[in-house]
Amino acid sequence: MMADPITGVVARPDLWANFIWPAYGLTLAGLIGLLIWAFWSMHSAEKKAEEARRK
């Protein structure tokens, strides 16, 4: 009787966790970076608009 080779890999939670937690970390770091970039871009655009309004 042959064992299913996929069952042994999928049933090991440590392999799944070794992929999921770094993926969550990478996603969170990317989200924080995107939010900082968007805030900085918005701030500089508002500053340019205010300078253009004063001229």
Side-chain angles (χ1 to χ4, degrees), residues 31-45:
L31 176 64
I32 290 170
L34 184 64
L35 289 173
I36 290 171
W37 174 67
F39 181 78
W40 182 67
S41 295
M42 178 186 65
H43 183 68
S44 64

